[in-house]
Structures are given as structure tokens and as C-alpha cells.
Amino acid sequence: MPSDLSRDKVCVARIGAAHGVRGEVKLWSFTEDPAAVADYGPLEALRPAKDHFVARIAGIADRDAAEKLRNVDLYIPRARLPKIDEADTFYHTDLIGLKAVTQNGDEVGTVSAIHNFGASDVIEIKPPAGDSLLMPFTDATVPEIDLGARRIVVVPPTESE
């Protein structure tokens, strides 16, 4: 389960490899509106590329400096995020650490991550023992999320031959 300190910050982007020789970097945004990441960080410029952005970061002026930022995650204080008023809407970070149980109440594990590899969101659950489970993050496989009780109900897909 994340500590209270880690729950106070939210990852909004990840810096990738250097782009060109003038200090720009590839940047992957994790915000609902991907371009909104520019509102949260020290970005001087942001432009779309094929599957990412190219960003200029304040104080970074050459390729060597940009390359040192590779794989750095950009976090903001949670208090800077807009408040969510809609039911059944939440930040992915709110799910990390929740207990995952079946509809019968059997423990499956703990939510360790939410991924998006391009097609749709995938929820990762770490069981008490063994490898993590990856499941589509849909209403069919995750029919209930109870933030107050710190648990989700999951319906693991059935195996087929």
C-alpha cells in the first residue's frame, strides 16, 4: 500500500530519450488531456510527435543534459489536480494499493498499477504469491470500486483453449 507521502503526489509524465541536440526530450503524458501536462511542469515548449510529445524543459540546453533526464517521472502535488465530482470517476493513483477481491469475497491480491499499452487500460494485481495478474480494466472485469472500503471487486477472465 502506498505511503501517505506517495499518495500526496501524482505522476503526470515520464521523460524519455533526448531528441535532437538542443536539449529537447521525448515525453509521455499521463494526464487525461495529454497536452495538459504543460500546465503542471517546467516545460518551456511542447509539441506532438507520433506517439509522444517533444518537450523543452527549463534549464536544459543540450543533448547531454537532456539524456541525463531519461526515465525521470514528473510528479505534481495531488492538491494541484482538479477535483472530481462525477460518480465512478477517479484518478488511477487512487486505485494503487486497493485490495482486489472476487465477487465471493476471496482475496485476489493488491492493485499495483494501471497500464495503458495503446489499446485500453490494463489493471495489474499482485497476488499474495506468484506473478502479477494483468486484466483489462473494464466494467466487466472490475464491476465495483469502493474507495472508502479500499477495495475493488474483480471478475478474472475465464481461460479458454
Side-chain angles (χ1 to χ4, degrees), residues 46-104:
L46 185 71
R47 69 179 188 275
K50 184 176 179 180
D51 64 346
H52 59 279
F53 287 99
V54 174
R56 178 174 305 282
I57 299 175
I60 304 300
D62 62 50
R63 184 175 185 83
D64 290 338
E67 194 58 41
K68 290 177 182 174
L69 296 176
R70 182 191 291 244
N71 295 324
V72 169
D73 289 337
L74 300 179
Y75 289 84
I76 64 165
R78 184 182 177 91
R80 290 192 56 200
L81 294 173
K83 186 174 185 273
I84 297 176
D85 293 323
E86 300 88 30
D88 296 329
T89 303
F90 39 79
Y91 290 112
H92 285 176
T93 192
D94 294 337
L95 302 178
I96 308 303
L98 296 186
K99 182 187 222 180
V101 298
T102 65
Q103 291 176 307
N104 296 334

Side-chain angles (χ1 to χ4, degrees), residues 3 16 20-21 30 43 54 68 97 105 109 115 117 122 124 129 133 137-138 141 149 151-152:
S3 70
V21 296
F30 304 138
L43 304 178
V54 174
K68 290 177 182 174
H115 304 284
F117 300 112
V122 174
E124 181 176 348
L133 307 169
F137 187 26
T138 64
T141 56
R151 74 176 182 95
I152 65 170

